[in-house]
Each structure stands twice: as C-alpha cells, then as structure tokens.
Amino acid sequence: MREDAAGKSTARQTHAERYDALVIGAGFTGLYQLHCLRDRLGLNAKVLEAANGVGGTWYWNRYPGARCDSESHSYCYYFSKELVTDWEWSERYPGQEEIRHYLNHVADRFDLRKDIRLGDRVISARFDDAETLWHVTTEGGKQYEAQFLITGVGCLSSANVPEIPGLDNFKGDWYHTGSWPHEGVDFTGKRVGQIGTGSTGIQSVPVIAETAKHLTVFQRTANYSIPARNAPLSDDFKRYTKEHSDEIHEIMLAGPNGHPFRIEDRPVSSVTPDKQQEIYEAAWEKGGLRFRSVFKDLLTSKPANDTAAEFIKSKIREIVKDPETAALLSTIDHPFATKRPPIDSHYFETFNRDNVSLVDIKTNPVTRITPTGIETSASHHDLDIIVFATGFDAISGPLLAMDIRGTNGVSLKETWAEGPKTYLGLQIAGFPNLFTVTGPGSPSVLTNMPVAIEQHVEWITDCIDRLRKSGKSRIETTKEAAEKWVGETNAAANATLLPQANSSWYLGANVPGKPRVFMPYAGGMAHYRKRCNEVAAEGYEGFVLS
C-alpha cells in the first residue's frame, strides 16, 4: 500500500514500468542524457516525450523565420569528435528545420529512438519516500517508476498566451509562435495582426510581411536588435570548424556565455568616442551576438552600455523612413542586452513596406479581441489572423506545468510559491533524486544552450555514477544550500545591469501573477562550471547522500 498526495491509501498499480532512470523531454538534453545514462553507465533508462518526434523546442517552434541566434558551428554537441566531423551545417545561423534534422541525426547515430517514448506527455510525478522511487504518470494513463528522474523540458517550452477578453469569439484564426501548425500558415491576401516584438516576433515579422495583404505589429516594448547577416557557410569555413573544433570548443568553455568568440578585454572608456563608433560600425556589419563582445563592460557599466544603446537607436532611426514609426521603434526603456538581445534579418527595414504598420500598445493598450479583429483604447483593427509572439512562461513554467510532488506529497508549485529555489539549478530541496537540467538558478538562457546542457548532463551522470558506486541510493540538496544559492544568483544578477529590464521574462514579468525573481545565474558559464566541479570534488557539498 502507499499514500497519495492527499494522504489516502491506494493500492499499488502493478502495471507500472520500472527503470533506473527516466528523462522527460527528447530535445538536446534528453538525447544526450539518455546516451550518457544508457551507454556510459549501463542503466536501464527511458525518455518520455510529449511530441511525436524528437527535437524538443525545435519540434514545436516552426513559426515563420524560426532560427537560432547562436552560430551553427557552436549550436551542437561537442561530446563526440566524430559527430562534430560528420555533420555539416549549411548556414551561419541554423533554421528550425535544419536543427531538427540535426537532432534526428543524433538520435539515429546513437540508436536512441528505441528508448524514447514519443507522444507520452508527463502530467505528474510523485516521490515515494519509503521506496526511494519516482512514480510518473503520463497523459495517456501510463505508469512508470524510476529511482532517478531528470527533467529536460527546456526553458522556453510553455507557451504564454495572454488572457485578452474576446479571444474565444474571434472569427478568424489565431496562433502562438511556440505551437505553430506543422503544415504552416498561408498569409497570402490576409490581414494579419502580430502581438509581441521579442526575439520570436522580430524573426517572424519580415517573413509574414512578404505575403500578407497587411501586417499590423502591436508593440508594447520596443526592442534592440542586431542584424544577423545570415548567409550560407563557405566550404573553407566548414573545413576550418572541423579542423579547429578543439580550439573552438575551448573558447566556448572559457567564455561566460558559451559562444565561439572571446570578449574583448577593453572597457568602452579606453577608446575615444570616434573609435567607439568605428568599433560599433564594424560589429554591426559583422552582425550577430558578437556585437556584445566588442567591450567587456557593456553589461556592468551603465555609461558604457549607453554608448552601445545609442548606436543601435541611431541605426533604427537611420533605417526606418517614417519618423513617427522610427521613434516608436527606438524609444527603448531598458539598457542594451538586459533582455534577450535579438538578431534579425531585415526587421527594421520591414517597417518601410507599404503593407506594414506599427501600433503602440503601451500608450494605447489592447482592450479586447472582437469577432473581427483587435481593439485598442484608440482604435479597432480588422484582422483575419492573429499571431501571438508573446513568448513563454520561461524557465520555471515547464516544470510547474507538471504536477511534481516530493517528500510528504508537497508540490513543486507550493515549494516555489514565492519564486523558484534550487541549488546550482540542478536540485530542489524536498525532491530527492530529481535533477533539473538548465533549471532556475543555472546559466541556462544566458548561454549558448548546448554548452550549458552538456555540462549539466555530464555533472548529473557523474553524480549518479558515484552515488551508485558508493552504495548509496539517494541524493537531495538541503534548504540551506538552496537558499544560499538563491542569494548568490541574486548577487550575480545585481552585479550586472540585467535586473534593470523590468519587463524581462528573465524576471517572469511577461506572465501575470508570476513572482518577480531573476531566474538564470548571471555569473557566467565558466565560473558556474568551476563551482559545480568544486562541489562534486568536495563530496557534493550542499547535498545529503544516503
């Protein structure tokens, strides 16, 4: 017999499948975690995936213009030299389809599919303290048991659809960019309204505008963006990345964000204003996230940041021909790169098209959705299609979407009522043998994600291996360690300008009612890696092993 979350005694279900470990999600995390647990440790492990294919975020995110903002030769696994060598990227910034093909290639190359259950969405997980087992239930009613439970649900996988009155009565079609129809959407001859101008919105606007009769962009918060300068990769560059993969990987591991370039060791004040402009011009022409790397103090000094911010704003005003539209696009309320810094392919240029208009919903908020369109406090906009590019309930949202209960049936939702608390972003007090890959309190979204994921997976794998070899069956962080790490996470953020972006999803500000807590660790991936290694070397300080 056992007790359920309400304390009632229930009969054990004998049809539950039993494994050493279960992994939730078949994206970058799930594939590598399965490989490590099964092929390196010899464990009986399974991946449970809600989708009908592998790919994680890149299975669902098929919106127009969906593309990675990390350079392709770094947005991949580096655990296998052969894998780096035998895969060839086609563009500087890979699109959704190519990334999905890559992850399918990985699944096939390492024979992972046989241990992945597709179309099996996890809805609950409950820890049995007496047996040291996680009991997992999926949407179809399947039951699983495992000693270890590892979440690879992604940081940006829980779509945030704003609660706007009247949406159910809209006679046209509406879509969220995070759950796009796989057959695509035909905008030809349609009047389209897009709400949201974050990274996703900035990618989709130029593509939608190409075929729509008219596109109305509803902007609440103006955003910085750097041109991606995306282009096909040359044969010489492809050859270079393969021949110098060790050196490239070393640069990725040494930097704070896991990218394949170094941050210049100079402050803005070390050069003249004319030289600053020359450096920014060269970085603008180069394009991409490398723009942030030209000075070392852009995220720690407001005066330094102001120089980059004003440069970008001047570029917006230069590109956008209509002065009123240019002013709306360049009146930005936060320092550069304190929100996720988008890169784009002709975003600002798109507002020069006759079939594109911009509506400021900070001044004139959306009041309701009518059967025929969107109404703001100033006017009504007739629409056939509405696109919500409103982002995600990020980082903590995908975990809270499942009913996860630890010791004594205490839910994760209760535990995180005032905001997420973890130790190293890896474990939660009161939830033994549960590991969260790129969870709150880890560098996660402030990094090139595959770098963070590989580090997490390898740390977890080594931890489980050492635990089993020592004859112990359970590991759990302490409340004291988690509280201390929350303090360190806050201190790391406060040492930067990041908290100055009040509307950032890093703070959960895009989801009404969500606690305002800065969730990712801003101390840099290299420092974080060192800290994790030190914790492991000292016998997993901050954890209780039993």
Side-chain angles (χ1 to χ4, degrees), residues 102-133:
Y102 170 73
L103 291 171
N104 274 276
H105 168 74
V106 172
D108 292 333
R109 197 184 194 290
F110 295 97
D111 194 22
L112 301 176
R113 294 186 192 277
K114 64 185 180 184
D115 291 308
I116 300 173
R117 296 287 177 81
L118 298 175
D120 215 6
R121 180 185 296 276
V122 172
I123 59 171
S124 69
R126 187 185 65 80
F127 185 72
D128 188 314
D129 201 55
E131 295 185 322
T132 311
L133 277 180

Side-chain angles (χ1 to χ4, degrees), residues 57 134 138 180 211 265 268 319 332 392 441 459:
T57 295
W134 279 97
T138 64
W180 203 257
T211 57
D265 188 24
V268 170
I319 292 167
I332 305 174
F392 302 87
W459 193 95

Side-chain angles (χ1 to χ4, degrees), residues 1-13 126 128 135:
M1 303 292 284
R2 63 182 182 181
E3 289 189 347
D4 64 15
K8 296 178 181 179
S9 198
T10 60
R12 175 167 303 287
Q13 296 184 346
R126 187 185 65 80
D128 188 314
H135 297 274

Side-chain angles (χ1 to χ4, degrees), residues 261-297:
F261 49 82
R262 293 186 174 90
I263 295 175
E264 295 290 343
D265 188 24
R266 62 186 174 200
V268 170
S269 61
S270 68
V271 300
T272 65
D274 286 346
K275 185 64 175 177
Q276 291 170 18
Q277 291 298 109
E278 180 184 325
I279 290 169
Y280 285 138
E281 283 286 357
W284 183 265
E285 289 305 313
K286 179 70 174 175
L289 295 178
R290 291 173 185 259
F291 186 93
R292 294 184 302 173
S293 70
V294 296
F295 294 109
K296 69 178 183 179
D297 56 346

